[in-house]
Each structure stands twice: as structure tokens, then as C-alpha cells.
Amino acid sequence: MKEWERLTTVEEMEAATASLLENGKKVGADSWQQRVKNQTPHCGFGESGTCCRICSMGPCRITPKAPRGICGCDVHGIVARNYLRFTAGGAATHSDHGREICHTLYATREGGNYQVKDPEKLIRIAKEWGVETEGKDIYDLAHEVAEMALMEYGKPFGISRWLSRAPEHTRKLWHDAEVEPRAIDREVSQSLHMTHMGCSSLPEALIRQSMRAGLCDGWGGSMCGTEFSDVLFGTPKPVDTEANLGVMEKDMVNIIVHGHDPSLSEMVVFYAQDPEMIALAKEQGAKGINIAGVCCTSNEVAMRHGIPMAGNFLQQENVVLTGACEAIVVDVQCIFPALGPLSKCFHTKFITTSKIARMPDSEFIHFTAETAGEKAKAIVKMAVENFKNRKPELVNIPQIKQKATVGYSVEAIKKCLDGVTNSHVDELGTLKPLADAIKSGVLRGAVAMVGCNNPKVRPDYAHIELMKKLLANDIILVLSGCSAQAAAKAGLMDKAAAKYCGEGVRRVCELVDIPPVLHMGSCVDISRMMVLASDLANDWGCNISQLPLVGCAPEWMSEKAVSIGNYVVATGIDTFLGVDPYTKGSSEVTELLQGETGVKQWLEANYTVELDIDKLGDKMIERIEQKRAALGI
Ligand code: BF8
Ligand code: SF4
């Protein structure tokens, strides 16, 4: 086993958290660590998915003595309905984020708040969608494509436009399994219809729709989110940054951006660099303005601007507990309502900006595309003017941080590979060198590791330990979401970390000049991974399900994660979970998701749920080796 001495350990991160919790105690702050204690043990019915409350004859809870709900629904129907509703929640959330981005694209204009930063990508997508681009003003084109994208949400006929990016074989599987997503809103809405009292209770039908609802996210709403964010704000390319709480600056105004939609964070980042605002910060006694991120918003601005990452999901309270956070500015998703009362214990301004995520104890500054500039400036000003209210005796910034190189969009990965091999075949490059490295065994395979933190798993430990184990076994990683931030905090996104990996990973990293784990972005950016897998299968000449590639979400917690899991599986990629998705109460649903006769038969991949993290790693390695053996490599 190689030494990983350059890494920040989970123990060091936990020690930092402990010292911050002490800080919190001084002001009577609550914490998730305490609330977990209050909430455990969790309800066994909820955990196994066997409680139904979709009509007011219930709630019905299934036990050996009461094997059916009042309407007669059995445990399998109840578990499957709950699973589909969970998926629909996630698909709706990602897709609505994507919709907001489409609206932002529609609001672009020359010299306006929002502009087209990557016109080449816009033209590429327009051509993909059969739009005439010749001689067209780029903003006219942006509006036309944005409107087409918005129609994807509610078009009455046809299937998602984005499906044409998938290999022929995958599309046929989707068609034959009747899971091709149609309009995005239709799949979400139909999922709710199917799970209404007195509709579907047949597990197979509910799990098929769960796949379809997932696909409308990954190959629909999320893909809109990713692709048009690139058009608006630039397609990520490798950029250096830093990660962990040590990125907060004692002598500067610290503004934390948190949430998901880059439309907000991009503008806040822009106005934090405004000379007028910097001068104001200096007037207040600060050395300047420091922006850092939490959760997926952090991934977005790190990938495009190198903005440092203060932390991931279960670190969001920590940024306030430092006593050095002037403002935490949020939009949507994964925001703890706890931030309201917590910020009141400090001088921190908790600023909510979206009508979708309203919270008590916050200051609401409604942010829209039309008013983005003035609102972002007002937010930055509010933070700057709050610097003087800081209580120096409460300032405690743990001095831990690591260097990271982030920004590996599919385009960037291809460019890095091209740089080495000179195999430039077309405008967009090729993944052939990656395929060759895997075929030759220099790399054994790849893992897409994604997802959240969850107090049910020791935070970040599963992510980091699994990554180390896979890297030692010459398996390369692509990451997104809070998993990516776990890696960055540990130091695994520092190119220097390559030397601790297996011989093959080390050689590839040094040759291509990449870190051993590649940051592909936020959770909507898992759509990038779907494109990567599709292109790799095409360049390889095999099906996606044959590739020595698996997905993994060891610490997942959100509905979005289940929606993601479903579209990753439905795309032909076996997916490994470290937290149970509330399905263990039904043997039939478990078989459909994890066995050989459900999704595996329809879509050539399935789930593995394994709560022992070491075994989870072993199972992934075993699956990758099985795929290699089946390919004869
Ligand atoms: O969408 S990984 S905790 S921040 S849900 Fe949330 Fe999970 Fe983080 Fe981004 Ni994704
Ligand atoms: Fe109970 Fe059936 Fe109503 Fe669910 S739908 S709460 S199982 S009666």
C-alpha cells in the first residue's frame, strides 16, 4: 500500500469540525451532529419504504400482521410507489434548475447581464438540433435554441432531443424497454399520476417509470442545465483552485455562495471583483473580498473561475461557525434551513434569493435574470458592510486546505488527451487514447463517483477511502457534486497526488498532466459523464454496458441522487450505493433494481447496495474485472 502522506485526513477534518462546534457552543448554536442524535433511531417503516400516506385513509404501515394497506395495496406496490415518487422529486429538481438556465439563456443580450460566453458550443448544439446557424446573429440563435430547449419540457409529442447523443444500441434498449423519456415535465407529472391512490401498484411498471423519470433528468433537464450553463458562462477547462475551510480569509470579507444555479453565483463573483466594492471593503477595514463556495454552486464557480471550495454538504454549517462569514448567499437545493437560526448566532447574513427556496430567518433578495446585476451588487454590498459586525473573539478558521486542479468537462478531457497523442481527429477530439490505456491494462477501468454526504456514513470517509482504494488498483476516477469536494479537500485533485496511486494511474496522470481524480462539475454535470460514457463506447466500438466503468454514490442522501442513479443505471452503467434507497422492505423491488431480472434485463445494468464501504470497493473492483474478462482484455 502506498503512503498518502500529503493528504488531509478525515481525522484532521473532524478535528477542525470539533473546534468549530466548540465555537458554536459559546453562542448556543445548534448543529446537525446534535440533531442526528435527536432523530435516531429512525422510523423503521420509513427506512424500509413500507409506509404509505398518499391518501387520507392511511397512513398505512405494512407489518406481518397487516400485510396490505386499507386499499389492499401490498408492500411491493407501496415500496415501488415511494421509490418512483422519490425519483420524480429528484428529476423535477434537476430539471427545473435546467429550465432556469434555459430562461437565463433566453434573457441574454449583447452588453446585458448575461451574455453568450461560448458561441462555438451554442452553434454546435444548434447544428445538433437541426437549426440553421449560417449568418445568424449569435443572440438570435441563443434565443431560438433556448426556446427549443424550453419546449423540451412540455412538447406534446416525441422523445427528448438529447437522446440522439447516445449510442444506437442504448437508444434501442430504451425504446424496447419503453423508457425513452418524452417531454421532461410529462415524465415527472406522469410519475405523480401513476403513484396517485388507485393507479399503479405493479412494481415492474413503477420501476420502469422510475427509469424513465431518471432519464428525463439525465438526458433531458440536467443536460439542458449543463450544456446551456457552458454556453452562458463558458465550458470548463482545467483551472487551479483550493479546497477546505482554510480558504476563508481572516482579514477579508468572506462571501459564501451555496446552492446550485450558476446564474446567481456568476453575478456575485463578478461584483465581488468590482473596484467600487473592493474600495468599500477597504473602507470597512478589510483587505478585500473573498468568495468561496459550498455544494454544487461551488463546483460551478470553481470549474469556471478557480473560486475556492470551502466545503461540501455537511460542511455548510461549518462556514458560519468560523465566525468569519459575512454572508452566505443561497439559491436552491441542499441548503439547510438550519442556516437561518445558526446565522443569527453570529453576525452572518443568510441571504435567500429564489422563490423556490424561501426560509425563515433569512433576508430575501429576489434574484431574476432581468435584475441580476443590481441585485448581485446589493448582495455584495450588504456583505461588505457587515464586516464591521464581526466578533473577533469568535473567529476561528481551521487552517486546512489543499490545492486542486478542476474543470474537466468532456471537451477538456479530450483536449488533454489530444495534447499527448496528437491523435486530433476532428474538431471535438477523441477518447481513443483513454480506451487504449484501459484496453492495454495500464488503467483497469474507471469509476464515476458522485453524490452527497450523509450522517449515516462517516462524512467524506467513504468517498476518500474508496477513491484511495480504487486509485491504488489503477482505476481512474471522474467525480462530481459533493464527492468531488471531498476529493479536493483531501488533496486528491492535486496533480502531485498521482505519485501515490497505482503505477498505471500514475503514468497516465504524468503523461497527460492531470490529477488522478477528475472534477467534472456539479450534480447536473453528471450529464457530462453520460456523454463521456457514450463517446467512449463509440470510440471503443462496444456498448456502454460492456465498458469497465461503474458508478458509485457512497454517501448519497437526496432525491436528486436517486434520479441520477436511475439514469446512470438506465444508461448501462452498474451503480454502487453506500446508503439504502428505502427499498429493502420489498423483495420484488429489490430484485427489480438489484437482481438479474429487472433493470439488468431491460437495460443491461443494475444497482448494488452495500453499506460496508470496504466491501463496496471490493465489489466495484470485481465488477470492473468481470467486464474486462468478458471483453477479453
Ligand atoms: O446536487 S451532491 S448534497 S450539493 S445533491 Fe446536494 Fe448531494 Fe451535494 Fe449538489 Ni448533488
Ligand atoms: Fe393506505 Fe392505500 Fe391510502 Fe396508501 S393508498 S395510504 S396503502 S389506503
Side-chain angles (χ1 to χ4, degrees), residues 226 450-451 480 522-530 564 567-568:
T226 295
V450 305
S480 74
S522 63
C523 288
V524 291
D525 291 340
I526 296 168
S527 63
R528 296 189 200 278
M529 295 178 182
M530 298 304 97
I564 292 168
Y567 75 70
V568 173

Side-chain angles (χ1 to χ4, degrees), residues 210-261:
S210 301
M211 294 298 128
R212 198 175 206 177
L215 285 167
C216 90
D217 167 358
W219 290 86
S222 274
M223 210 168 268
C224 287
T226 295
E227 297 299 277
F228 298 122
S229 290
D230 285 357
V231 169
L232 280 160
F233 308 118
T235 303
K237 36 184 188 287
V239 57
D240 291 337
T241 185
E242 291 178 327
N244 220 334
L245 290 164
V247 304
M248 294 179 69
E249 297 280 351
K250 188 163 169 285
D251 301 321
M252 294 174 92
V253 173
N254 288 300
I255 303 178
I256 301 293
V257 285
H258 174 14
H260 286 78
D261 182 342

Side-chain angles (χ1 to χ4, degrees), residues 132-178:
E132 181 55 61
T133 58
E134 217 51 54
K136 219 173 252 175
D137 175 78
I138 199 72
Y139 286 93
D140 288 342
L141 188 62
H143 302 155
E144 188 175 342
V145 170
E147 198 170 336
M148 285 174 82
L150 286 164
M151 296 306 279
E152 285 296 291
Y153 284 79
K155 63 185 184 186
F157 307 110
I159 54 174
S160 168
R161 287 179 184 278
W162 295 116
L163 303 193
S164 62
R165 291 180 165 192
E168 188 68 43
H169 175 77
T170 309
R171 279 185 279 160
K172 184 166 179 339
L173 286 177
W174 290 337
H175 182 76
D176 294 347
E178 298 183 10

Side-chain angles (χ1 to χ4, degrees), residues 238 303 405-409 412-414 416-417 434 447-449 467 471 476-481 483-484 487 492-493 495 508-509 512-521 529 532:
M303 296 257 286
T405 305
V406 301
Y408 291 93
S409 56
I413 292 173
K414 287 181 177 175
C416 290
L417 292 169
L434 177 61
V447 170
M449 200 175 295
M467 287 177 209
L471 293 170
I476 200 155
L477 287 133
V478 289
L479 306 183
S480 74
S483 181
L492 286 165
M493 285 184 175
K495 288 177 188 168
V508 169
C509 290
V512 189
D513 190 30
I514 51 172
V517 298
L518 298 178
H519 190 307
M520 291 194 77
M529 295 178 182
L532 187 73

